[in-house]
Amino acid sequence: MTGEARKAPFRPLARLKRIGGARASWSGLAAQAVLLAVLAWLAYEMVANVRANLAAQGIASGFGFLTHSAGFAVSQALIPYEQTDSYLRVFAVGLVNTLVVSAIGIVLATILGFVVGLGRLSPNWLLARLAGGYVELIRNLPLLYQILFWYLAVLGALPGPRQSLSPLPGVFLSNRGIVVPEPVPQASFAIVAAALALGIVIALGLGFYARRTLFRQGRVVRVWPYALAAVIGLPLAIALLFGAPLTFDVPELRGFNFAGGVRLLPEFAALTIALSTYTAAFIAENVRSGVLAVSRGQWEAGESLGLSRGQLLRLIVVPQALRVTLPPLANQYLNLTKNSSLAVAIGYPDLFSVFAGTALSQTGQAIEIIAITMAVYLAISLVTTTIMNVFNWRVARRGQA
Amino acid sequence: MAADPIVTIAGLNKWFGEFHVLRDIDLAVPRGARIVICGPSGSGKSTLIRCINALEEFQEGRITVDGIELGPGLRRVDEVRREVGMVFQSFNLFPHLTVLQNCTLAPIFVRKMPQKDAEALAMKYLERVRIPSLAPKYPGQISGGQQQRVAIARALAMSPKIMLFDEPTSALDPEMVKEVLDTMVDLATEGMTMLVVTHEMGFAREVASRVVFMDEGQIVEANTPGQFFDHPQHARTRLFLSQILR
């Protein structure tokens, strides 16, 4: 034995070199500096050029137009909107519509994707073939075609409001869209929501306490009844005390259309269905590759312990498959969000359609509007990526046996 | 050893495609016996013990485990698997679960044991393999020998009547072989019925009640360790022993 462990020697120049690339030479670093300078110069030239051209053509620039009145109607506004509202308001309405379609699409695509992906690996011959057929059919047809298919061939073929289908009480399907009861928050909504949040915090605290007692003292504490009471009982008690937090406004047929309730546009429904079924086909393949990446030994270990196939999938295989499935899953979420801009084809008022479409053609301020739109899609994508990276890190961090 | 056999294998034949991997295997394992199975690679020894807990199908013959019969077609698989614990060469711990969760998973989900009892049981077996302090760790954070001892505790937590070991020390660094073998010796001393595929001839000589030598899918020779090592009957056995004992 020769001496104690010591720190690595401090060599700042060598570290600088490593940042430029592990095997970079000094001349290689110089080349990188030159490239950086050229890129900066190109960017400067572009900006200067555009400014000069706009001034020469007399096109207004700047973001002043955002406060001007838009003057056009939007078919679906989830936040209050009038024709006289500003372009900024139009932007917000479009953004909310994009986010809603993307969020619902992501949830549905994930659920369907997992079901189809696992189904394709099922020992049940018919189920596996059906799932395989779904994947091959859906992922090989253009998304635009599928959006138009759902919009024109399926939803467009539904009967008018007076003959509408009602699969559930209070839910009506017609060629004007889907009408569902609208939840209306009551006075006690805030306090019940607060009670629910408090209950969740208490339950998390109890879980943490139970784990700590187990590992520090080797003692098992039964906390789940208290946790359950906190999450369900607490808000329930508050609701009983202060009255129900929500009531439902049920739609009714009046004349040729429905009054009350929330109406989901057929455009919205078609876009959501098309985006989620299309993306689900790709997610299914990601799930399948993840499951196949789990070693045979894991299955055998589970089988030899007597776990059923369902338990094996749920407890052993899927949690490990997620490590392989998550990074490409993030890609699919990004694709779905970006693909939602195809809404423009069927007139769903998403961000792209109302802002980079109508607002742009009315104002002519292409550079500003395209820049804002780009920044928004970029921001949504980067936020999605960050969330998925954090989730991925949490999954991957657990042992690498 | 005339005690009633807990495992009976009769006329077992198995093919991988055209390859006849097990040929007319007959073997009776008395309750509490420690059977060591050895033989050259490809002789079918791992396949044989994998047939006992139905990880492999077979085409002909019969296996009876504690009165439960396994025939071609693998019926009553779950009943047999609950009686039989298995330890693999590559540990096969669940990497996304802690050591404790590895050991409580099957008792909770297969035996429907309350979590509290399952955790107490798991801690008991982790103490028995002398690593209770590792309970909150993940498999990736502990050594190979420790992982294999967790795998043994995980199998024991299902209270099996028979333990199968498929080359439990072959994937370990030499330093860690001993800690795993010691655990297995403890288990044998407590009267567990064990079938062990291994090349650890020291373990065989010390612990086995019977040593079975297989070659080309057949049992060539089965004898007490004393007879087996000192007076091997077949030329093939003598050749094998001369190559691994030097």
Side-chain angles (χ1 to χ4, degrees):
Chain A
M1 293 288 161
T2 56
E4 293 168 9
R6 59 198 180 90
K7 281 190 171 174
F10 180 62
R11 290 189 184 121
L13 278 180
R15 179 171 295 181
L16 182 70
K17 247 174 103 169
R18 200 171 305 134
I19 292 168
R23 281 178 293 278
S25 61
W26 288 111
S27 62
L29 284 183
Q32 292 190 37
V34 171
L35 182 62
L36 197 63
V38 170
L39 286 175
W41 173 72
L42 275 175
Y44 167 77
E45 277 295 309
M46 265 169 67
V47 172
N49 227 324
V50 166
R51 289 174 74 103
N53 283 340
L54 285 179
Q57 293 175 24
I59 295 177
S61 63
F63 293 95
F65 74 95
L66 283 174
T67 57
H68 301 171
S69 171
F72 62 88
V74 176
S75 59
Q76 174 183 302
L78 299 174
I79 54 175
Y81 173 78
E82 303 287 332
Q83 290 209 20
T84 49
D85 280 338
S86 66
Y87 282 111
L88 191 61
R89 196 78 188 170
V90 167
F91 165 77
V93 167
L95 178 60
V96 169
N97 286 344
T98 290
L99 290 178
V100 165
V101 148
S102 306
I104 295 177
I106 282 174
V107 172
L108 293 180
T110 308
I111 296 170
L112 187 59
F114 269 78
V115 169
V116 174
L118 294 177
R120 205 171 174 186
L121 292 167
S122 161
N124 182 323
W125 186 88
L126 184 65
L127 184 61
R129 293 311 130 111
L130 281 176
Y134 172 86
V135 168
E136 293 310 336
L137 179 70
I138 297 288
R139 75 169 176 176
N140 289 318
L141 291 174
L143 176 57
L144 184 58
Y145 165 84
Q146 296 187 36
I147 292 173
L148 292 174
F149 170 80
W150 286 105
Y151 184 57
L152 299 173
V154 180
L155 297 177
L158 284 173
R162 293 169 72 86
Q163 289 83 38
S164 62
L165 310 170
S166 182
L168 292 169
V171 177
F172 299 95
L173 280 171
S174 71
N175 58 10
R176 301 279 182 88
I178 303 163
V179 192
V180 296
E182 181 183 9
V184 184
Q186 301 295 306
S188 64
F189 184 77
I191 186 161
V192 173
L196 180 65
L198 182 67
I200 290 172
V201 169
I202 292 176
L204 290 176
L206 283 170
F208 180 74
Y209 163 76
R211 287 192 75 73
R212 217 187 51 173
T213 330
L214 175 65
F215 290 141
R216 295 241 175 112
Q217 304 169 19
R219 204 157 51 79
V220 180
V221 223
R222 183 186 288 259
V223 296
W224 67 263
Y226 306 104
L228 205 65
V231 174
I232 296 176
L234 196 60
L236 206 65
I238 298 287
L240 287 176
L241 218 61
F242 291 87
L246 288 174
T247 57
F248 289 92
D249 180 17
V250 181
E252 273 176 76
L253 189 64
R254 296 242 182 86
F256 291 103
N257 215 334
F258 288 97
V262 186
R263 195 161 67 97
L264 302 175
L265 295 176
E267 291 81 19
F268 170 83
L271 186 65
T272 309
I273 296 172
L275 283 175
S276 41
T277 50
Y278 178 76
T279 311
F282 294 89
I283 292 179
E285 287 296 274
N286 295 340
V287 170
R288 189 166 75 103
S289 66
V291 169
L292 291 177
V294 174
S295 75
R296 187 73 218 138
Q298 292 289 313
W299 288 87
E300 289 181 349
E303 284 170 9
S304 70
L305 287 170
L307 295 175
S308 69
R309 191 185 154 84
Q311 290 173 330
L312 249 168
L313 275 176
R314 182 163 53 90
L315 302 167
I316 310 295
V317 176
V318 168
Q320 293 186 61
L322 280 183
R323 265 197 281 176
V324 177
T325 303
L326 276 183
L329 197 60
N331 271 339
Q332 296 308 329
Y333 290 173
L334 298 184
N335 280 342
L336 189 146
T337 309
K338 290 179 290 176
N339 286 341
S340 72
S341 59
L342 285 170
V344 73
I346 55 172
Y348 173 73
D350 81 321
L351 175 69
F352 200 83
S353 156
V354 295
F355 195 61
T358 318
L360 192 153
S361 62
Q362 285 194 10
T363 61
Q365 293 200 293
I367 291 183
E368 290 82 356
I369 286 182
I370 292 298
I372 294 175
T373 309
M374 183 187 85
V376 167
Y377 279 107
L378 202 58
I380 296 174
S381 295
L382 290 177
V383 168
T384 310
T385 310
T386 308
I387 294 171
M388 292 303 285
N389 280 347
V390 169
F391 191 40
N392 188 34
W393 176 76
R394 285 182 56 102
V395 170
R397 188 174 55 129
R398 299 187 178 169
Q400 310 281 329
Chain B
M1 218 169 285
D4 62 319
I6 188 165
V7 179
T8 316
I9 300 171
L12 178 65
N13 275 283
K14 175 172 173 57
W15 288 263
F16 282 127
E18 289 296 298
F19 179 56
H20 198 169
V21 59
L22 293 175
R23 306 182 194 180
D24 300 319
I25 302 283
D26 292 297
L27 185 69
V29 182
R31 219 170 274 273
R34 285 90 54 202
I35 309 283
V36 166
I37 303 171
C38 58
S41 84
S43 61
K45 51 196 193 303
S46 288
T47 310
L48 174 61
I49 69 165
R50 287 162 59 88
C51 282
I52 296 174
N53 71 346
L55 284 181
E56 300 283 356
E57 288 187 47
F58 51 90
Q59 285 81 23
E60 281 176 15
R62 212 176 64 226
I63 297 180
T64 313
V65 180
D66 198 28
I68 307 163
E69 195 178 316
L70 275 179
L74 297 185
R75 283 175 301 273
R76 311 183 71 180
V77 169
D78 291 339
E79 287 171 66
V80 166
R81 283 179 180 158
R82 263 175 262 161
E83 305 282 323
V84 180
M86 175 106 181
V87 174
F88 297 88
Q89 180 177 357
S90 49
F91 329 136
N92 294 347
L93 291 184
F94 306 129
H96 61 299
L97 300 178
T98 63
V99 164
L100 185 69
Q101 288 167 334
N102 264 278
C103 298
T104 57
L105 187 84
I108 290 173
F109 287 96
V110 180
R111 292 244 188 262
K112 311 292 178 200
M113 200 182 273
Q115 185 176 0
K116 190 174 165 174
D117 302 349
E119 283 174 346
L121 184 74
M123 289 311 291
K124 186 182 112 189
Y125 285 111
L126 286 173
E127 260 153 43
R128 193 149 140 195
V129 298
R130 294 184 225 113
I131 41 175
S133 60
L134 299 182
K137 300 235 181 206
Y138 284 96
Q141 300 170 315
I142 64 180
S143 77
Q146 290 166 338
Q147 288 192 49
Q148 194 60 298
R149 285 192 279 164
V150 173
I152 294 173
R154 176 176 72 176
L156 289 176
M158 283 296 281
S159 318
K161 294 188 175 147
I162 302 145
M163 286 284 285
L164 307 176
F165 294 83
D166 188 3
E167 305 204 28
T169 57
S170 304
L172 293 175
D173 288 344
E175 278 184 277
M176 293 169 184
V177 170
K178 187 175 179 309
E179 65 183 60
V180 171
L181 289 181
D182 285 349
T183 309
M184 290 166 64
V185 172
D186 289 350
L187 209 54
T189 318
E190 291 160 24
M192 175 65 78
T193 307
M194 298 163 68
L195 277 93
V196 185
V197 171
T198 187
H199 296 120
E200 296 292 335
M201 289 302 125
F203 175 83
R205 198 187 271 274
E206 185 188 341
V207 176
S209 55
R210 215 168 167 75
V211 181
V212 173
F213 174 68
M214 288 183 69
D215 189 32
E216 296 184 337
Q218 300 173 72
I219 295 180
V220 176
E221 185 165 350
N223 223 326
T224 59
Q227 286 292 315
F228 182 84
F229 288 109
D230 301 332
H231 307 287
Q233 302 296 307
H234 289 78
R236 184 68 189 87
T237 316
R238 281 195 287 275
L239 177 66
F240 177 74
L241 288 176
S242 72
Q243 278 166 344
I244 64 166
L245 302 173
R246 51 180 89 174

